[in-house]
Amino acid sequence: MGASSGRIQCLTTWRIRRIPRRIEFFQGTLARTGEIDGVRIFDTTLRDGEQSPRTSFSYDEKRDIAEVLDDMGTHVIEAGFPVNSDAEFEAVQDITNATDTTVCGLARVVDKDVEAAIESGVGLIHVFVSTSDVQLQDSMHASREEAVERAVSCVERVKEAGVECMFSPMDATRTDDDFLVEMVEAVSEAGTDWINIPDTCGVATPTRFMDLVQMVRQNTDARVDVHAHDDFGLATANAIAGFEAGAAQAQVSVNGIGERAGNAAFEEVVMASEALYDVDTGIDTTRITELSRMVEDYSDIPNPPNKPVVGRNAFSHESGIHAAGVIENSDTFEPGVMTPEMVGATREFVLGKHTGTHSVRKRLEEIGYAPTDAEVRAVTRLVKDYGADKQRVTMADLRRFAREENVTREEEVRA
């Protein structure tokens, strides 16, 4: 990857290549990169994300989210499950017609599902079937042989229609290795373009998932994609482990929404790839916070304040030591390779019981005061006492404290 700026073609649109961030100036774990060659982002917010309990996107909301994902340079948008309903079919079809990126439709290994996906006009059809014995026996009520036969038949139908195909052995991480290899080899021979490895129940660990991805890669010429769930909080780590093992693409959802505890989070996977591995994903990261807030609003699933990358606290500081360091140089107590500007966010210095004099002085100066050292110390005591009672210290409170301590105004100093 060259250090000069240029233009690259990303799918059907032209985007400006970013100048790679050089991160060698940090010692420790950031001193090297190179474990990952490239990253493609498959967004499933509109499909798996919408399967979050009590979540439903309207037609217009789906279109809005798809438009931003497309504008940002997302490689694939899984728009939905075309056979599910007339409204779902229409939404998938319209998103396909309105976006430049590849749009994907989901289909079970059922003829009507596949035909609906083909008819919707999507550029990629994602066909899936259970492969773990527990799901085959107690969900599908089918044998291993039947699963292979139906998978091969549906992959062949997709390819016969001239559409790119992705195949998922659902519950791959709880599937017998020998049978998983048998299924992968069968659909590969049938012509699938992609093999998705789903950790359907979120039980993979990064090292084990790397081993599984490597095993699948050894038994297929198709490109490998990964889909991680977050039941143990390992989804993003597993997606990254998939890339390290040679997967070309990861399925993610904005804010990590999805079934149960959700999926690997779009913003986490993109920024880990960009900032920690120095990989150019082609994604416009400056719109990540905007996209996150949109999905948060439409899904009615609030982000916790400490949510990585997009949480309200992600670039906020209250501790006196941390705030003082960040005021001097933001790299002291922030990652350094990821700044709020990179994700379209802003840095904030929060006032409370842990606040130090540096933050108080900075905030007073921002609202027009020119405090002496003694005045800063006095106001800091009031801020700490107020915050200790679990009170939120607002700017109105700070102005009140400044008046109580007769803090000098900037115009008074100039006069």
Side-chain angles (χ1 to χ4, degrees):
M1 183 162 53
S4 61
S5 64
R7 297 181 72 87
I8 56 171
Q9 190 173 21
C10 180
L11 302 172
T12 57
T13 58
W14 287 96
R15 303 185 189 279
I16 300 297
R17 181 192 293 275
R18 69 166 170 83
I19 297 175
R21 287 179 294 282
R22 298 268 56 87
I23 61 177
E24 286 81 3
F25 61 88
F26 283 106
Q27 295 177 344
T29 61
L30 286 173
R32 64 183 177 90
T33 58
E35 302 95 329
I36 297 174
D37 293 329
V39 166
R40 284 174 54 91
I41 299 297
F42 177 118
D43 183 84
T44 187
T45 305
L46 301 180
R47 200 277 299 170
D48 199 329
E50 193 182 27
Q51 290 175 206
S52 301
R54 294 172 290 279
T55 294
S56 177
F57 296 126
S58 70
Y59 171 85
D60 288 339
E61 289 169 345
K62 279 200 166 193
R63 289 289 299 270
D64 288 347
I65 294 169
E67 181 179 4
V68 176
L69 287 168
D70 183 34
D71 289 346
M72 289 175 68
T74 307
H75 301 91
V76 180
I77 300 172
E78 190 168 43
F81 201 171
V83 79
N84 190 48
S85 67
D86 290 342
E88 183 90 343
F89 179 92
E90 181 181 357
V92 172
Q93 188 175 58
D94 288 353
I95 289 170
T96 300
N97 293 332
T99 54
D100 292 321
T101 193
T102 299
V103 174
C104 177
L106 187 68
R108 297 167 298 181
V109 287
V110 176
D111 290 344
K112 66 176 183 178
D113 287 33
V114 173
E115 296 304 322
I118 293 171
E119 188 179 347
S120 72
V122 294
L124 173 65
I125 295 177
H126 181 187
V127 177
F128 72 96
V129 67
S130 295
T131 52
S132 68
D133 288 334
V134 64
Q135 288 195 359
L136 283 170
Q137 294 166 10
D138 298 327
S139 178
M140 280 193 64
H141 306 291
S143 67
R144 289 182 175 183
E145 293 75 17
E146 289 170 328
V148 172
E149 180 181 345
R150 289 162 64 177
V152 167
S153 175
C154 288
V155 168
E156 290 177 341
R157 174 66 186 111
V158 172
K159 295 308 298 177
E160 179 186 278
V163 182
E164 190 175 9
C165 183
M166 173 180 286
F167 174 78
S168 288
M170 187 161 65
D171 209 14
T173 52
R174 299 194 302 173
T175 296
D176 173 75
D177 282 354
D178 291 339
F179 178 57
L180 182 60
V181 169
E182 178 186 343
M183 177 67 84
V184 165
E185 290 179 340
V187 295
S188 297
E189 187 176 342
T192 191
D193 302 283
W194 290 89
I195 298 287
N196 168 248
I197 307 175
D199 182 23
T200 304
C201 293
V203 297
T205 61
T207 301
R208 295 172 191 166
F209 199 57
M210 286 183 70
D211 290 343
L212 184 62
V213 171
Q214 290 168 347
M215 182 186 76
V216 169
R217 290 186 66 221
Q218 290 168 1
N219 290 280
T220 184
D221 291 328
R223 288 182 290 178
V224 173
D225 170 273
V226 295
H227 180 111
H229 276 269
D230 208 32
D231 296 73
F232 288 91
L234 295 172
T236 294
N238 285 329
I240 295 297
F243 285 133
E244 288 201 14
Q249 182 169 272
Q251 298 191 8
V252 298
S253 67
V254 179
N255 300 338
I257 66 172
E259 291 276 5
R260 303 182 315 280
N263 296 274
F266 178 105
E267 60 280 1
E268 295 172 19
V269 173
V270 169
M271 291 313 299
S273 301
E274 290 262 349
L276 300 180
Y277 291 86
D278 203 27
V279 172
D280 185 355
T281 65
I283 303 293
D284 178 2
T285 65
T286 64
R287 299 189 68 182
I288 280 178
T289 299
E290 171 196 348
L291 175 65
S292 171
R293 299 290 184 265
M294 174 184 287
V295 172
E296 183 179 26
D297 182 39
Y298 289 169
S299 67
D300 200 28
I301 300 175
N303 282 329
N306 63 335
K307 176 77 172 64
V309 183
V310 294
R312 268 70 174 177
N313 288 355
F315 299 99
S316 295
H317 305 275
E318 180 179 327
S319 165
I321 294 173
H322 283 232
V326 170
I327 290 169
E328 182 73 22
N329 176 2
S330 62
D331 288 352
T332 55
F333 287 101
E334 288 181 4
V337 290
M338 179 175 69
T339 66
E341 293 79 14
M342 287 165 60
V343 297
T346 56
R347 183 176 293 109
E348 183 180 5
F349 294 95
V350 178
L351 301 177
K353 66 180 289 187
H354 306 292
T355 296
T357 55
H358 288 79
S359 287
V360 171
R361 179 183 295 279
K362 179 177 178 62
R363 298 308 289 270
L364 285 170
E365 289 174 348
E366 287 174 351
I367 58 176
Y369 289 93
T372 64
D373 290 346
E375 290 170 344
V376 168
R377 289 193 296 271
V379 172
T380 300
R381 281 195 299 273
L382 294 176
V383 167
K384 284 178 172 288
D385 290 345
Y386 196 69
D389 290 333
K390 296 187 178 181
Q391 300 290 330
R392 179 172 177 266
V393 182
T394 66
M395 294 308 293
D397 294 321
L398 185 64
R399 289 187 176 90
R400 176 165 55 85
F401 298 152
R403 290 194 299 270
E404 289 177 7
E405 296 298 328
N406 297 313
V407 179
T408 308
R409 301 284 303 186
E410 179 66 33
E411 59 265 24
E412 295 171 356
V413 173
R414 290 198 301 267

